[in-house]
Amino acid sequence: MSDITQVIILGASGDLTARKLAPALFAAFQDGLFPHEVQLVGVARRPWDDAGFREQLIANSPKAKDHQPDKWQAFLANTHYVRTNLETPADFAALAKSLDMLCGGRPADRVFYLAIKPELFLPSVQNLHGAGLLAQEDGRSSRVVVEKPFGTDLTSARYLNGELLKILKENQLYRIDHYLGKETVQNLLVFRFRNAFFEPLWNQKYVELVQITVAETVGMEGGRGGYYDGSGAIRDILQNHLLQLVALVAMEAPSSLAPKAIRDEKVKVLHALRSFADLPDPQANLVRAQYEGYTQEPGVSPTSETETYIATRAYIDNWRWGGVPFLLRTGKHLPSRFTSIRIQFRMPPHTLFGSYQECHLRPNAITLRIQPDDGIDLSFEVKEPGQGLVIKPAKMTFDYAEQFKKRTPDAYERLLQDVITGDQSLFIRSDEVEECWRWADSLREAMAGAPVHQYPKNTWGPQAADGLFGECEGRWLKG
Ligand code: BG6
């Protein structure tokens, strides 16, 4: 067992390092959560030295002024920079030497975090391998963290998996999806499988519809237009973050909390997601749209058809979920930022109060508020006090902040700690990523030729998306 881990960020001059990764490492360091010494090493092409890199971290860390000054100084003192061109193999030999020197010749566990353009994933890993940096000798480990997007479709993801797995073992490869590091997302398994109330109802017999939304108020800020235009809402959010929520909400109980047991169950449910090609009318199950003005954004093609909004009606063809629609939606420039999962229950079997012939807003739902205002709401109906029988909606609410009154760690904090300790439960396995692409590709194929609706910024997207709900199935949540 090594007594030091080097976290080496490739692409350290990018904004992920200063905004997310360095603050996450610092927070864990400040709270004393690391099992041993952790050294941060930034790697990029910019002509910086240690001092220059530290200055960047100080200037761009969102909360640098709130850090405990002595701890922040100690953290920065163990932060280094090695200038490297990721496409030059000789630079990696020099990097290997620098890394050895930085840990004073001690055998170090190494985490290589690829915060770089996807085109550089493979050459960088090949170069790390060429310089002997991925060898796992003398009980020390070497792990590689890959940011999304992992491929752009099933074929490219398979190719990337195939090539990376020629060099790395699956247990060295950490495909990150930061949604899995969110506390509320981790809570999904606890909520479902620790509480006897809900699980018996969590199936097609009682659940009528599941609605999942990732709504964002942001657009193409930070010069993201170029990247986003080649990606779109399906590849940017639906294929990864949103499908991970689907997997956790719909999977069977794993036999244990071992990473393999959890990932096996997730992959089964992703595999059961019905391809759009198997729907009788695929285009009736999707609505794509663009916010007005998108094609004038810097970096975006003026004739772009890239979707900034996508809504779909999906199905999971298995025993638990047969016939239950999963309505999935994500979009940019919507009126509020929220991610939530709403499990909508069927009406009771017999009508005592009012007529069920008419459409009736379904009274029973569990809403899992993933962010912000993390919490859980149970909705039901009660009798209003007074003469006569007037039925009114009511709600029971659980609120994380109110209940626990403590800081919620950022997703990256948890995920980086897991990489350092070697726990892969919250990372995506190769077969999972491929199943997500299989379904996302079928959606993209079905979408070809479908209208590209327009929506004004700061509205809930095109009205056509309401048509994804059946007549009495309800409507999209608005925050
Ligand atoms: C990223 C996407 O993966 O997730 C962004 O590339 C998106 O487009 C972001 O804004 C959303 O993350 P969060 O944690 O703010 O919901």
Side-chain angles (χ1 to χ4, degrees):
M1 192 56 185
S2 305
D3 61 0
I4 176 169
T5 295
Q6 294 181 308
V7 176
I8 303 123
I9 304 177
L10 276 55
S13 52
D15 97 325
L16 187 69
T17 305
R19 266 189 327 106
K20 292 286 185 188
L21 304 180
L25 285 171
F26 172 67
F29 170 75
Q30 183 170 249
D31 291 351
L33 298 179
F34 289 133
H36 54 226
E37 181 184 344
V38 171
Q39 185 175 62
L40 169 58
V41 184
V43 169
R45 240 183 354 197
R46 302 257 174 105
W48 292 339
D49 55 8
D50 288 357
F53 182 48
R54 290 171 192 161
E55 268 165 35
Q56 287 299 313
L57 298 185
I58 297 166
N60 296 309
S61 166
K63 292 195 188 126
K65 58 179 185 322
D66 303 336
H67 297 335
Q68 290 174 29
D70 51 333
K71 293 263 169 77
W72 185 221
Q73 286 313 321
F75 176 77
L76 289 173
N78 206 6
T79 293
H80 305 274
Y81 183 78
V82 183
R83 187 181 181 192
T84 306
N85 184 339
L86 299 181
E87 287 165 291
T88 310
D91 279 16
F92 281 77
L95 174 64
K97 278 205 190 111
S98 304
L99 291 177
D100 281 342
M101 222 170 62
L102 286 172
C103 58
R106 286 177 286 168
D109 284 340
R110 288 184 176 140
V111 170
F112 294 97
Y113 197 114
L114 308 188
I116 49 182
K117 288 194 288 196
E119 306 85 273
L120 290 176
F121 289 167
L122 191 54
S124 302
V125 170
Q126 286 163 339
N127 285 335
L128 288 169
H129 177 55
L133 282 165
L134 298 176
Q136 307 209 85
E137 290 154 356
D138 316 325
R140 50 177 192 177
S141 66
S142 198
R143 303 181 178 130
V144 174
V145 184
V146 189
E147 264 292 336
K148 68 169 253 276
F150 194 92
T152 51
D153 56 14
L154 178 58
T155 312
S156 56
R158 268 197 188 138
Y159 172 75
L160 189 56
N161 271 330
E163 293 301 306
L164 290 176
L165 292 171
K166 282 181 191 164
I167 297 172
L168 297 159
K169 298 201 182 74
E170 181 68 45
N171 69 10
Q172 287 179 279
L173 193 48
Y174 289 68
R175 296 174 198 78
I176 206 163
D177 181 317
H178 77 277
Y179 263 57
L180 293 180
K182 291 183 193 275
E183 284 289 332
T184 41
V185 174
Q186 291 166 49
N187 183 50
L188 286 172
L189 292 192
V190 178
F191 182 73
R192 286 189 58 197
F193 301 127
R194 180 70 180 189
N195 298 301
F197 293 148
F198 310 113
E199 192 49 26
L201 306 179
W202 213 264
N203 56 56
Q204 49 74 31
K205 190 157 177 220
Y206 299 101
V207 174
E208 178 181 56
L209 182 144
V210 178
Q211 172 180 165
I212 308 184
T213 297
V214 177
E216 296 194 280
T217 50
V218 291
M220 299 301 117
E221 293 82 355
R224 291 193 91 217
Y227 149 76
Y228 194 87
D229 205 35
S231 169
I234 297 178
R235 287 173 167 145
D236 188 50
I237 300 241
L238 184 55
Q239 181 271 348
N240 38 76
H241 306 327
L242 220 151
L243 285 192
Q244 286 301 318
L245 298 180
V246 171
L248 291 169
V249 136
M251 68 192 258
E252 296 301 314
S255 57
S256 75
L257 289 183
K260 177 173 183 321
I262 295 175
R263 302 201 295 182
D264 283 352
E265 293 306 334
K266 279 170 67 195
V267 83
K268 274 190 226 163
V269 87
L270 293 167
H271 183 70
L273 266 174
R274 190 186 305 170
S275 155
F276 276 75
D278 295 333
L279 289 165
D281 181 0
Q283 287 197 354
N285 292 277
L286 65 93
V287 173
R288 67 165 157 176
Q290 243 179 25
Y291 62 80
E292 289 172 2
Y294 172 71
T295 50
Q296 282 97 58
E297 297 276 15
V300 171
S301 152
T303 56
S304 173
E305 291 207 328
T306 297
E307 74 290 348
T308 62
Y309 174 101
I310 182 81
T312 70
R313 186 175 170 102
Y315 293 93
I316 297 174
D317 291 329
N318 66 14
W319 200 262
R320 186 187 281 265
W321 295 114
V324 178
F326 279 67
L327 276 91
L328 314 177
R329 166 181 68 155
T330 183
K332 299 274 188 204
H333 274 310
L334 302 183
S336 66
R337 171 177 182 258
F338 79 98
T339 297
S340 76
I341 302 172
R342 184 170 190 268
I343 316 290
Q344 173 173 316
F345 291 88
R346 297 186 190 283
M347 294 301 284
H350 176 56
T351 310
L352 287 177
F353 312 103
S355 164
Y356 292 178
Q357 301 311 312
E358 315 147 23
C359 275
H360 187 292
L361 266 191
R362 304 312 196 227
N364 292 163
I366 299 178
T367 308
L368 301 151
R369 287 181 277 116
I370 304 293
Q371 66 180 22
D373 307 329
D374 318 357
I376 298 171
D377 298 326
L378 300 189
S379 311
F380 46 92
E381 284 185 336
V382 293
K383 177 186 177 302
E384 188 179 64
Q387 292 291 317
L389 184 63
V390 180
I391 296 179
K392 284 284 160 78
K395 197 156 88 172
M396 277 162 66
T397 285
F398 154 73
D399 198 86
Y400 270 87
E402 207 180 291
Q403 175 89 13
F404 295 110
K405 299 191 172 48
K406 62 178 181 191
R407 181 181 80 87
T408 305
D410 182 75
Y412 280 98
E413 259 174 80
R414 168 63 196 259
L415 295 174
L416 280 166
Q417 276 179 66
D418 284 358
V419 185
I420 290 168
T421 54
D423 182 342
Q424 290 192 302
S425 314
L426 299 178
F427 294 83
I428 322 274
R429 203 169 60 187
S430 54
D431 48 355
E432 270 184 81
V433 88
E434 291 180 14
E435 284 300 340
C436 292
W437 279 124
R438 175 193 61 79
W439 182 81
D441 284 359
S442 82
L443 166 59
R444 285 174 48 78
E445 274 157 36
M447 198 168 74
V452 185
H453 297 276
Q454 296 282 309
Y455 60 99
K457 286 183 187 170
N458 208 20
T459 64
W460 285 108
Q463 272 199 342
D466 297 341
L468 294 173
F469 285 84
E471 207 181 341
C472 295
E473 285 178 349
R475 55 179 91 106
W476 292 110
L477 290 182
K478 298 194 169 153

